Amino acid sequence: MTTGFVSWFLSLIVLVLLFLSGYIMKNSVSLLITGKRAQGIVVGMDSSSRSATDTTKAPSLSPLVEFVTSEGEHIKVHGRSYSIKPSSQTGDEIKVAYDKSNPKNAQLLLWGEFPLGPAGLLLGFAVVLVMMWMGGILISN
């Protein structure tokens, strides 16, 4: 009885973790697969609104990229990840993936812009739970 309950409980947790990982990556992967591509130029840096109040700490920055859609519309977007030392500088060219119906929801095609950290953490935890579940099956009668 206990083994069955634990198995179902771990299965439910793994499914929830997989769902959450997919939800976190949904927009980025969707734009990567189906989005239109454009070449953009970093025109500046966007400062995070969550900066510390301490003046000795450097603010977190994200590239501000301007690109032109296939319809000729000029769009400025900032990256989704902020860091003290961004991977690109003003003047760099960056590829952008955007949705034709909503070009302001664009994804910079840089490794640092994909939410691999949170999704990877959830997927790693799901793998650990699956291993525990499999170990429990192998140990049980």
Side-chain angles (χ1 to χ4, degrees), residues 2-57:
T2 306
T3 307
F5 173 73
V6 171
S7 298
W8 281 106
F9 184 69
L10 287 175
S11 299
L12 179 67
I13 290 175
V14 168
L15 286 175
V16 168
L17 290 173
L18 291 174
F19 174 77
L20 288 174
S21 298
Y23 183 74
I24 289 171
M25 296 289 289
K26 176 186 165 195
N27 190 43
S28 298
V29 172
S30 174
L31 285 175
L32 182 64
I33 294 171
T34 63
K36 304 264 302 169
R37 301 285 198 277
Q39 193 70 26
I41 297 178
V42 179
V43 294
M45 292 292 163
D46 185 36
S47 179
S48 173
S49 60
R50 296 178 295 209
S51 305
T53 57
D54 188 5
T55 57
T56 60
K57 291 185 179 181

Side-chain angles (χ1 to χ4, degrees), residues 44-103:
M45 292 292 163
D46 185 36
S47 179
S48 173
S49 60
R50 296 178 295 209
S51 305
T53 57
D54 188 5
T55 57
T56 60
K57 291 185 179 181
S60 296
L61 302 173
S62 178
L64 183 62
V65 177
E66 183 175 10
F67 68 97
V68 180
T69 65
S70 58
E71 287 79 29
E73 185 179 0
H74 288 268
I75 305 288
K76 282 186 184 179
V77 294
H78 60 82
R80 296 179 180 165
S81 66
Y82 289 83
S83 66
I84 294 173
K85 187 175 180 182
S87 61
S88 57
Q89 304 298 323
T90 303
D92 290 351
E93 291 186 358
I94 295 177
K95 283 200 179 254
V96 177
Y98 67 95
D99 183 8
K100 193 173 182 179
S101 63
N102 184 13

